[in-house]
Amino acid sequence: MKDLMLAANWKMNKTVTESISFFSELDIRLKQWELNPRLDRIDILIFPSFISIYSVNGRSEFISVGSQNIHFEEKGAFTGEISVGMIRDYAEYALIGHSERREIFGETDSDINKKIRAALSSGITPLLCIGETLEEREAGNTFKKTGDQLKEDLSGFSAEEIGKIVFAYEPVWAIGTGKTASPEQAQEVHSFITEEINKTAGKEQKRLILYGGSVKPENCKELLAKKDINGALIGGASLNVESFFAIIEKSLELV
Ligand code: PGA
């Protein structure tokens, strides 16, 4: 038995109206399980676009809301950016260091480190994503890459601060490609990540490390059953209420 987190990363999808309808539909389905104590063991979290955060906040007692990005400065001349202070009344989590932010928008580990600092100092839980590319995996550098990312992203944080961070291992080659890491491949990296974090922050705290990369109803149970996998970060399969709900339903069998 374990607690799980299922997080939906909607990326640049869904209008405000579509986001509100999704929350309402999912809420209706989750209400069926209101009296099921196992539902309390699953944290359900959605990262909609910035524009929808305000409108979906508070729409369902079962669903937490997060922001897909934040800027590390509090305010100022940063055209197009959103600060933690602007979202903190409406979002509990912030996705930080997603591979699309790193690759398409050139975010560096140093930026990511500052974003984690900004989130933590405002009481927002950072969900930090790390993961290797296909070239890095094929060259045998998976552990080196994820280890280096952890070292740089977590530089300067205390054990207590690290204890507040949720992690996601997302092999870049598995994101949006339909190619999922096998449960064994994912577990191997999750176990490495757990050890690396424990080396820096001690073993006492419970770690929440999600797997992300083509998670769907057909493969979620095998992945989530692995010892060091505590949840999933879901892109494509979270855009449709049916498939996201199916993933929640299958996860209920594991908690
Ligand atoms: P995917 O995306 O489930 O569509 O592979 C996951 C992610 O990018 O977080």
Side-chain angles (χ1 to χ4, degrees), residues 69-126:
N69 183 27
I70 44 164
H71 194 269
F72 48 77
E73 294 290 348
E74 240 171 76
K75 58 170 119 170
F78 301 100
T79 302
E81 292 294 325
I82 308 272
S83 73
V84 178
M86 292 169 184
I87 55 137
R88 89 166 141 221
D89 289 341
Y90 318 105
E92 289 171 63
Y93 293 82
L95 203 56
I96 297 179
H98 188 278
S99 66
E100 286 152 19
R101 300 288 324 163
R102 293 177 188 259
E103 290 198 343
I104 307 171
F105 300 101
E107 271 184 26
T108 64
D109 286 301
S110 152
D111 296 330
I112 289 160
N113 179 274
K114 288 190 235 166
K115 290 182 181 208
I116 298 173
R117 169 72 58 217
L120 287 174
S121 41
S122 287
I124 298 254
T125 301

Side-chain angles (χ1 to χ4, degrees), residues 16-178:
V16 173
T17 312
E18 288 164 350
S19 304
I20 294 173
S21 332
F22 186 107
F23 266 68
S24 307
E25 278 180 50
L26 185 59
D27 185 65
I28 291 170
R29 289 172 188 240
L30 291 170
K31 277 212 170 92
Q32 300 166 6
W33 292 329
E34 204 157 11
L35 299 176
N36 183 337
R38 285 188 298 158
L39 191 55
D40 289 343
R41 305 188 64 115
I42 302 188
D43 278 330
I44 300 166
L45 162 64
I46 295 183
F47 293 94
S49 70
F50 273 131
I51 187 103
S52 296
I53 288 178
Y54 176 80
S55 317
V56 296
N57 173 55
R59 292 242 166 212
S60 168
E61 60 177 300
F62 307 106
I63 313 169
S64 305
V65 177
S67 119
Q68 292 176 20
N69 183 27
I70 44 164
H71 194 269
F72 48 77
E73 294 290 348
E74 240 171 76
K75 58 170 119 170
F78 301 100
T79 302
E81 292 294 325
I82 308 272
S83 73
V84 178
M86 292 169 184
I87 55 137
R88 89 166 141 221
D89 289 341
Y90 318 105
E92 289 171 63
Y93 293 82
L95 203 56
I96 297 179
H98 188 278
S99 66
E100 286 152 19
R101 300 288 324 163
R102 293 177 188 259
E103 290 198 343
I104 307 171
F105 300 101
E107 271 184 26
T108 64
D109 286 301
S110 152
D111 296 330
I112 289 160
N113 179 274
K114 288 190 235 166
K115 290 182 181 208
I116 298 173
R117 169 72 58 217
L120 287 174
S121 41
S122 287
I124 298 254
T125 301
L127 201 168
L128 170 64
C129 304
I130 57 169
E132 82 287 0
T133 61
L134 185 59
E135 296 71 47
E136 287 158 346
R137 174 160 282 265
E138 285 173 347
N141 286 332
T142 299
F143 295 146
K144 165 139 188 33
K145 177 60 183 283
T146 47
D148 285 351
Q149 284 179 323
L150 280 176
K151 207 194 271 159
E152 290 179 45
D153 297 347
L154 299 180
S155 159
F157 291 109
S158 67
E160 197 195 336
E161 286 169 326
I162 294 173
K164 293 182 182 152
I165 302 173
V166 177
F167 296 86
Y169 167 56
E170 296 209 305
V172 180
W173 49 271
I175 297 179
T177 57

